[in-house]
Amino acid sequence: MCGILSVFGPDSSAQFDLSSMLSTIVHRGPDDKGILQGENWMLGHQRLAIMDVDGGHQPMQTAEEKLYSICNGEIYNFRDLQDSHCPSYPFQTQADSEVLLPLFQTFGNDLIQQLDGMFSFVVSDGQQWLAGRDRMGIKPLYYATAGEHKFFASEVKALVHCAEHIQEVPSSHFYHSQAGLVPYYNLPDVTVFQKDQEAIQIALRQTLSRSVQKRLMSDVPVGVFLSGGLDSSIIAALMKQHVSELHSFSVGLPNSPDLKAARLVADHVGTIHHEYVYSEAEMQAVLADVIYYLESYDPALVRSAIPCYIVSKLASQYVKVVLSGEGADELFAGYSYLADYDDPRALHQESISILEGLHNLNLQRVDRMTMAHSLEGRVPFLDIDFIELCLQIDPHLKLFSTFGIEKWLLRKTFEDLLPHEIVWREKMEFAQGCASSEVLEKHAKAVITEQALAEAKIQGFPVNTQEELFYYGIFHQHFPHPDAAKVMGRWEGTLH
């Protein structure tokens, strides 16, 4: 995991202080800093060393120094790509991201179709450039303009003081200096669904197991976020099959139901478990930092970001990579509002809609909160093979009314790996399980009056509640740029 930043345009190196801009995202990669520049371009990189810890310095370049790259994330199939497409290329490192250089030489813009992973990158020969983002948008990428200059960066905070206009590179898109913004992937449009429950369960088990194994790729220790809910518990159980000393991490307020459930799973699976009990005062104390790193003031996102921020801090003391259960609720209709759906096709379309919105909502939370503590977060449920498999399942099997409980199929598939009371535990949102949601809303209402909200609406502030206005005030202090609020995701309007 890393932070990337690039500038293209006339006399770039004289007009912009790339080192200063990079310093705003040093938390994404404090292990190393690299800058390459020509007269009309600059590439910068803050590195969190995961693969080839000693040798994987970025920016990378070809031996003849005519092609350069920066990358954030992981390319899980890089060894297969090296063997199949680059057998004679003189690789200089053991890092996964170096494969971008020979792939660009072979495939040009189509190199992104070859990649399996979570990533954002920029490749350039100094004249033209290609910037791309993974299919689900697990890794962030923004682009911005100022006059004739074009910027790409991992976070908005690197751009707010130099750019005139800031936009997000959407998930499953690349941006080429000549072709502009181009989509390269869409979730499959399924017309014939799989109905055989036994065959589906076998496929789910095999595909998710492969996904977890793939995400153990690392030259540094790997751990797991363990909330005690179904999704993270499944990931922990699958990881433990391959990691003998697996560290798990859980947080919550005193008497949080998540803490008790996580202990139960940790004992059953056999992880080295760590937990942290925080106070209401501590939640309020970290709120401003959370909003700064999160780059959002959406209430639902902020609420869940606080425990994620705290558990990331805990995990960073023991590991550099952590897996989480993000994505299962979208794939298996786990959200409470989806229990009201009685039309299988409508439920299927809603699943696709919220999957497509993950990149600047829950995935943004996971990325920003882990990166705030120089920790890499990985999400096995959002492996493309697993997503495409799940979208082929007859949505009737995902309806709450079919079995009288949400995510029945997922529960049944993995029930042998976990305690019965965990497998059939009632679903709780992360912030609810950590007992944080009511605390934050109550605090915001104590600070922001209804009159203040009414006045803010009259002035045109993009807020709807007292809680949102409270967060917006903090957000706007950090991000006064008019585009900052436009590029963030909003749960309102996403959950229908």
Side-chain angles (χ1 to χ4, degrees):
M1 200 70 65
C2 306
I4 63 175
L5 178 62
S6 64
V7 187
F8 299 97
D11 206 19
S12 296
S13 56
Q15 293 196 43
F16 299 99
D17 183 354
L18 193 71
S19 181
S20 178
M21 294 168 67
L22 267 178
S23 68
T24 64
I25 55 173
V26 67
H27 52 277
R28 296 189 68 89
D31 295 337
D32 189 20
K33 178 178 182 176
I35 293 177
L36 283 176
Q37 61 186 50
E39 183 178 351
N40 299 321
W41 59 274
M42 293 188 290
L43 298 178
H45 191 268
Q46 290 288 163
R47 184 177 184 228
L48 184 66
I50 303 295
M51 297 294 295
D52 192 0
V53 172
D54 295 327
H57 175 79
Q58 294 193 51
M60 292 187 172
Q61 53 190 313
T62 54
E64 64 273 18
E65 298 184 2
K66 292 183 179 180
L67 190 63
Y68 315 92
S69 69
I70 47 177
C71 182
N72 166 35
E74 303 294 343
I75 300 169
Y76 298 123
N77 64 334
F78 80 103
R79 297 195 190 281
D80 291 339
L81 293 172
Q82 288 176 343
D83 293 341
S84 57
H85 298 301
C86 327
S88 60
Y89 183 82
F91 285 97
Q92 302 171 65
T93 76
Q94 297 297 314
D96 56 299
S97 56
E98 190 180 3
V99 76
L100 293 171
L101 297 171
L103 287 179
F104 184 77
Q105 292 174 328
T106 301
F107 295 101
N109 292 356
D110 290 335
L111 82 85
I112 201 166
Q113 299 279 9
Q114 310 299 319
L115 306 180
D116 177 12
M118 54 175 196
F119 53 80
S120 58
F121 67 82
V122 178
V123 180
S124 176
D125 61 6
Q127 303 299 317
Q128 61 174 330
W129 36 262
L130 171 69
R133 189 176 184 188
D134 67 74
R135 289 166 176 81
M136 296 308 297
I138 300 168
K139 292 296 101 194
L141 188 62
Y142 298 89
Y143 68 100
T145 55
E148 296 181 78
H149 294 89
K150 182 78 72 176
F151 307 81
F152 292 91
S154 295
E155 296 187 9
V156 171
K157 56 180 63 68
L159 304 170
V160 290
H161 298 300
C162 62
E164 295 169 2
H165 302 286
I166 303 172
Q167 293 177 270
E168 184 183 36
V169 176
S171 55
S172 68
H173 280 66
F174 66 78
Y175 199 117
H176 186 261
S177 49
Q178 295 176 341
L181 190 64
V182 179
Y184 68 89
Y185 175 82
N186 289 300
L187 292 173
D189 183 14
V190 181
T191 55
V192 179
F193 292 103
Q194 301 298 317
K195 301 178 184 292
D196 185 331
Q197 292 182 31
E198 183 177 353
I200 290 169
Q201 288 176 227
I202 291 171
L204 288 174
R205 183 83 165 234
Q206 293 175 342
T207 308
L208 187 60
S209 296
R210 285 196 299 269
S211 174
V212 168
Q213 289 180 60
K214 193 186 302 183
R215 283 156 182 79
L216 298 178
M217 181 186 86
S218 176
D219 292 333
V220 295
V222 179
V224 61
F225 285 160
L226 182 57
S227 71
L230 177 70
D231 310 334
S232 65
S233 299
I234 289 171
I235 299 302
L238 291 175
M239 289 179 70
K240 191 60 176 66
Q241 295 174 356
H242 306 281
V243 181
S244 58
E245 295 187 356
L246 177 62
H247 290 260
S248 58
F249 308 95
S250 181
V251 300
L253 287 165
N255 301 315
S256 161
D258 272 2
L259 290 174
K260 181 179 179 181
R263 289 182 210 128
L264 181 62
V265 176
D267 288 343
H268 184 87
V269 173
T271 66
I272 303 169
H273 192 56
H274 311 269
E275 69 177 33
Y276 182 82
V277 180
Y278 54 84
S279 65
E280 294 183 16
E282 190 171 357
M283 292 172 60
Q284 296 170 17
V286 302
L287 180 61
D289 284 344
V290 165
I291 291 173
Y292 171 72
Y293 287 113
L294 182 62
E295 299 188 333
S296 175
Y297 61 89
D298 179 78
L301 208 58
V302 172
R303 287 183 210 138
S304 60
I306 286 185
C308 191
Y309 179 87
I310 295 172
V311 76
S312 295
K313 181 179 180 180
L314 173 65
S316 69
Q317 300 170 34
Y318 300 91
V319 298
K320 259 191 165 181
V321 177
V322 68
L323 274 61
S324 80
E326 227 62 51
D329 285 327
E330 288 76 11
L331 292 169
F332 293 95
Y335 291 118
S336 57
Y337 82 101
L338 295 174
D340 297 330
Y341 277 67
D342 55 11
D343 180 346
R345 173 57 74 168
L347 179 66
H348 179 73
Q349 292 303 319
E350 179 66 2
S351 292
I352 291 175
S353 176
I354 55 179
L355 280 167
E356 292 175 339
L358 272 179
H359 62 283
N360 57 11
L361 289 169
N362 282 355
L363 287 176
Q364 179 168 326
R365 168 177 51 77
V366 173
D367 173 81
R368 301 299 205 284
M369 296 301 95
T370 53
M371 286 275 71
H373 299 288
S374 306
L375 181 72
E376 175 170 294
R378 299 179 180 176
V379 284
F381 280 109
L382 294 176
D383 182 270
I384 288 298
D385 289 343
F386 191 73
I387 291 172
E388 293 184 349
L389 169 64
C390 291
L391 291 179
Q392 294 172 27
I393 297 172
D394 185 347
H396 178 77
L397 298 175
K398 301 178 183 179
L399 288 175
F400 183 91
S401 58
T402 302
F403 300 105
I405 191 171
E406 79 286 339
K407 297 197 289 195
W408 180 90
L409 199 56
L410 187 63
R411 296 171 191 266
K412 197 68 179 174
T413 299
F414 294 96
E415 67 176 342
D416 63 309
L417 297 183
L418 298 167
H420 180 273
E421 54 266 57
I422 296 298
V423 173
W424 302 105
R425 182 189 179 199
E426 182 181 355
K427 162 72 180 173
M428 300 186 78
E429 313 296 347
F430 184 37
Q432 291 177 321
C434 296
S436 63
S437 52
E438 291 184 3
V439 171
L440 293 168
E441 186 177 8
K442 181 179 178 181
H443 176 62
K445 286 185 175 180
V447 176
I448 301 294
T449 65
E450 292 185 8
Q451 181 180 351
L453 175 62
E455 292 173 354
K457 289 182 177 181
I458 291 173
Q459 295 178 46
F461 286 21
V463 296
N464 295 308
T465 66
Q466 291 161 265
E467 184 182 7
E468 192 170 30
L469 177 56
F470 179 49
Y471 300 154
Y472 177 76
I474 300 170
F475 174 87
H476 190 66
Q477 288 180 343
H478 291 311
F479 306 103
H481 195 288
D483 289 342
K486 297 177 183 177
V487 297
M488 60 172 254
R490 304 291 289 272
W491 272 114
E492 182 182 344
T494 303
L495 297 183
H496 306 298

